[in-house]
Amino acid sequence: MIVNGQVHMTADPPPQALTQLRLRHQLAAASADAYCRAGFTAVVQDILLGEHLAEITESITSRPLAVVVLSPDPDAVAEREKKRAKSGYGPDWQPRDLDKVLRDSTPRIGLWLDTSSQTVDETVDEILDRAWTEGAYDPAGRHGPAAPPGQPSADHGQRRRRRLSVIGGVGSM
Protein backbone atom coordinates (compact mmCIF):
# COMPACT_ATOMS: atom_id res chain seq x y z
CA MET A 1 0.00 0.00 0.00
CA ILE A 2 1.14 3.51 -0.72
CA VAL A 3 1.33 5.53 2.48
CA ASN A 4 2.56 8.85 1.15
CA GLY A 5 1.90 10.21 -2.33
CA GLN A 6 -0.96 7.98 -3.39
CA VAL A 7 -2.95 9.29 -6.34
CA HIS A 8 -6.49 7.88 -6.43
CA MET A 9 -8.01 6.35 -9.53
CA THR A 10 -10.86 8.24 -11.12
CA ALA A 11 -12.88 7.91 -14.30
CA ASP A 12 -10.27 10.14 -15.97
CA PRO A 13 -7.11 9.17 -14.06
CA PRO A 14 -4.01 11.33 -13.97
CA PRO A 15 -0.83 9.67 -15.30
CA GLN A 16 0.57 9.10 -11.80
CA ALA A 17 -2.56 7.16 -10.79
CA LEU A 18 -2.08 4.84 -13.77
CA THR A 19 1.61 4.43 -12.94
CA GLN A 20 0.72 3.42 -9.38
CA LEU A 21 -2.02 1.06 -10.58
CA ARG A 22 0.30 -0.67 -13.04
CA LEU A 23 2.97 -1.00 -10.33
CA ARG A 24 0.39 -2.65 -8.04
CA HIS A 25 -0.49 -5.09 -10.82
CA GLN A 26 3.18 -5.83 -11.57
CA LEU A 27 3.83 -6.56 -7.89
CA ALA A 28 0.74 -8.78 -7.66
CA ALA A 29 1.85 -10.77 -10.72
CA ALA A 30 5.41 -11.13 -9.41
CA SER A 31 4.14 -12.22 -6.00
CA ALA A 32 1.76 -14.79 -7.51
CA ASP A 33 4.54 -16.21 -9.68
CA ALA A 34 6.85 -16.45 -6.64
CA TYR A 35 4.21 -18.34 -4.65
CA CYS A 36 3.65 -20.70 -7.59
CA ARG A 37 7.38 -21.36 -7.92
CA ALA A 38 7.40 -22.25 -4.21
CA GLY A 39 4.62 -24.80 -4.82
CA PHE A 40 1.60 -22.85 -3.63
CA THR A 41 -1.64 -22.16 -5.42
CA ALA A 42 -2.14 -18.41 -5.76
CA VAL A 43 -5.16 -16.23 -6.44
CA VAL A 44 -4.83 -12.63 -7.58
CA GLN A 45 -7.98 -10.65 -6.81
CA ASP A 46 -8.47 -7.06 -7.92
CA ILE A 47 -10.74 -4.81 -9.90
CA LEU A 48 -9.25 -5.26 -13.36
CA LEU A 49 -10.95 -3.16 -16.01
CA GLY A 50 -10.19 -2.33 -19.62
CA GLU A 51 -6.68 -3.13 -20.80
CA HIS A 52 -5.55 -3.83 -17.21
CA LEU A 53 -7.09 -7.33 -17.23
CA ALA A 54 -5.06 -8.31 -20.30
CA GLU A 55 -1.91 -6.62 -18.97
CA ILE A 56 -1.84 -8.48 -15.65
CA THR A 57 -2.84 -11.76 -17.28
CA GLU A 58 0.04 -11.45 -19.72
CA SER A 59 2.51 -10.45 -17.00
CA ILE A 60 1.85 -13.60 -14.97
CA THR A 61 4.14 -16.33 -16.25
CA SER A 62 2.97 -19.29 -14.14
CA ARG A 63 0.87 -21.89 -15.89
CA PRO A 64 -1.71 -23.22 -15.91
CA LEU A 65 -3.65 -20.00 -15.44
CA ALA A 66 -7.39 -19.45 -15.15
CA VAL A 67 -9.06 -16.05 -15.39
CA VAL A 68 -12.43 -15.46 -13.74
CA VAL A 69 -14.26 -12.16 -14.00
CA LEU A 70 -17.06 -11.56 -11.52
CA SER A 71 -19.62 -9.35 -13.20
CA PRO A 72 -22.74 -8.97 -11.07
CA ASP A 73 -25.40 -6.46 -11.97
CA PRO A 74 -24.49 -2.98 -10.63
CA ASP A 75 -27.72 -2.88 -8.60
CA ALA A 76 -26.69 -6.09 -6.84
CA VAL A 77 -23.26 -4.58 -6.11
CA ALA A 78 -24.86 -1.40 -4.72
CA GLU A 79 -27.11 -3.50 -2.48
CA ARG A 80 -24.13 -5.49 -1.18
CA GLU A 81 -22.24 -2.28 -0.50
CA LYS A 82 -25.03 -1.06 1.78
CA LYS A 83 -24.38 -4.05 4.06
CA ARG A 84 -20.62 -3.51 4.34
CA ALA A 85 -18.79 -1.61 7.05
CA LYS A 86 -16.58 0.16 4.50
CA SER A 87 -17.11 0.99 0.86
CA GLY A 88 -14.93 0.32 -2.12
CA TYR A 89 -16.66 3.13 -3.97
CA GLY A 90 -16.49 6.88 -3.71
CA PRO A 91 -17.75 9.98 -5.39
CA ASP A 92 -15.68 9.33 -8.54
CA TRP A 93 -16.58 5.66 -8.96
CA GLN A 94 -19.96 4.06 -8.42
CA PRO A 95 -20.88 0.45 -9.28
CA ARG A 96 -22.74 1.49 -12.44
CA ASP A 97 -19.70 3.47 -13.70
CA LEU A 98 -17.34 0.56 -13.17
CA ASP A 99 -19.80 -1.86 -14.71
CA LYS A 100 -19.95 0.23 -17.89
CA VAL A 101 -16.15 0.15 -18.22
CA LEU A 102 -16.13 -3.58 -17.48
CA ARG A 103 -18.71 -4.41 -20.12
CA ASP A 104 -17.69 -1.86 -22.77
CA SER A 105 -13.89 -1.79 -22.53
CA THR A 106 -12.64 -5.01 -20.95
CA PRO A 107 -11.52 -7.82 -23.26
CA ARG A 108 -13.49 -11.06 -22.89
CA ILE A 109 -10.68 -13.06 -21.35
CA GLY A 110 -11.52 -16.13 -19.30
CA LEU A 111 -14.75 -17.05 -17.56
CA TRP A 112 -17.22 -14.23 -16.88
CA LEU A 113 -19.74 -14.93 -14.12
CA ASP A 114 -22.87 -12.97 -13.33
CA THR A 115 -22.92 -13.49 -9.57
CA SER A 116 -25.86 -11.13 -8.93
CA SER A 117 -28.09 -13.74 -7.33
CA GLN A 118 -25.42 -16.02 -5.89
CA THR A 119 -24.18 -16.48 -2.36
CA VAL A 120 -20.45 -16.55 -1.71
CA ASP A 121 -20.56 -20.35 -1.49
CA GLU A 122 -22.44 -20.62 -4.79
CA THR A 123 -19.90 -18.35 -6.48
CA VAL A 124 -16.98 -20.38 -5.14
CA ASP A 125 -18.61 -23.62 -6.30
CA GLU A 126 -19.20 -22.21 -9.77
CA ILE A 127 -15.60 -20.99 -9.98
CA LEU A 128 -14.32 -24.42 -8.96
CA ASP A 129 -16.67 -26.14 -11.43
CA ARG A 130 -15.91 -23.94 -14.44
CA ALA A 131 -12.66 -21.98 -14.06
CA TRP A 132 -10.30 -24.61 -15.44
CA THR A 133 -12.40 -25.42 -18.48
CA GLU A 134 -14.04 -22.12 -19.46
CA GLY A 135 -11.59 -19.75 -17.76
CA ALA A 136 -8.35 -21.26 -18.96
CA TYR A 137 -5.95 -18.65 -20.26
CA ASP A 138 -3.57 -19.29 -23.11
CA PRO A 139 -1.24 -16.44 -24.14
CA ALA A 140 -1.91 -17.30 -27.79
CA GLY A 141 -5.51 -16.25 -27.15
CA ARG A 142 -7.03 -19.71 -27.23
CA HIS A 143 -9.41 -20.76 -24.49
CA GLY A 144 -10.17 -24.27 -23.37
CA PRO A 145 -9.33 -26.87 -20.75
CA ALA A 146 -6.29 -25.96 -18.70
CA ALA A 147 -5.80 -29.20 -16.84
CA PRO A 148 -2.12 -30.03 -16.51
CA PRO A 149 -1.08 -33.24 -18.30
CA GLY A 150 -2.30 -36.30 -16.45
CA GLN A 151 -4.81 -34.38 -14.33
CA PRO A 152 -8.44 -34.73 -15.37
CA SER A 153 -10.23 -31.39 -15.34
CA ALA A 154 -13.49 -32.95 -14.16
CA ASP A 155 -12.13 -34.13 -10.79
CA HIS A 156 -13.00 -31.63 -8.05
CA GLY A 157 -9.94 -32.49 -5.95
CA GLN A 158 -7.63 -32.00 -8.87
CA ARG A 159 -9.14 -28.61 -9.69
CA ARG A 160 -8.36 -27.41 -6.19
CA ARG A 161 -4.67 -28.08 -6.81
CA ARG A 162 -4.30 -25.93 -9.90
CA ARG A 163 -1.62 -23.32 -9.83
CA LEU A 164 -2.98 -19.87 -10.41
CA SER A 165 -6.19 -17.95 -10.88
CA VAL A 166 -6.80 -14.30 -11.61
CA ILE A 167 -10.12 -13.10 -10.33
CA GLY A 168 -11.16 -9.64 -11.37
CA GLY A 169 -14.25 -7.65 -11.97
CA VAL A 170 -16.47 -4.97 -10.58
CA GLY A 171 -18.32 -6.64 -7.76
CA SER A 172 -17.00 -8.76 -4.99
CA MET A 173 -18.71 -11.96 -3.95
Side-chain angles (χ1 to χ4, degrees), residues 14 31 42 54 64 66 70-71 75 80-81 88-90 116 131 146-150 163 168 172:
S31 179
L70 305 181
S71 58
D75 293 332
R80 291 172 186 168
E81 280 295 302
Y89 302 91
S116 301
R163 284 295 191 217
S172 60

Side-chain angles (χ1 to χ4, degrees), residues 22-95:
R22 286 194 167 99
L23 176 59
R24 184 175 87 210
H25 293 165
Q26 290 168 1
L27 293 171
S31 179
D33 282 335
Y35 275 107
C36 286
R37 282 191 302 276
F40 295 96
T41 296
V43 174
V44 175
Q45 183 278 323
D46 203 338
I47 296 175
L48 299 161
L49 302 172
E51 73 272 10
H52 303 289
L53 177 61
E55 287 173 2
I56 194 168
T57 301
E58 291 168 8
S59 67
I60 294 169
T61 60
S62 299
R63 297 293 181 267
L65 173 64
V67 177
V68 178
V69 176
L70 305 181
S71 58
D73 179 87
D75 293 332
V77 175
E79 192 60 35
R80 291 172 186 168
E81 280 295 302
K82 290 179 186 176
K83 299 174 185 172
R84 294 191 171 119
K86 74 175 200 172
S87 176
Y89 302 91
D92 293 320
W93 285 106
Q94 290 297 310

Side-chain angles (χ1 to χ4, degrees), residues 102-121:
L102 176 71
R103 295 183 197 286
D104 294 351
S105 303
T106 305
R108 285 287 186 162
I109 297 170
L111 171 63
W112 285 50
L113 296 176
D114 179 351
T115 60
S116 301
S117 62
Q118 293 180 325
T119 65
V120 172
D121 288 341

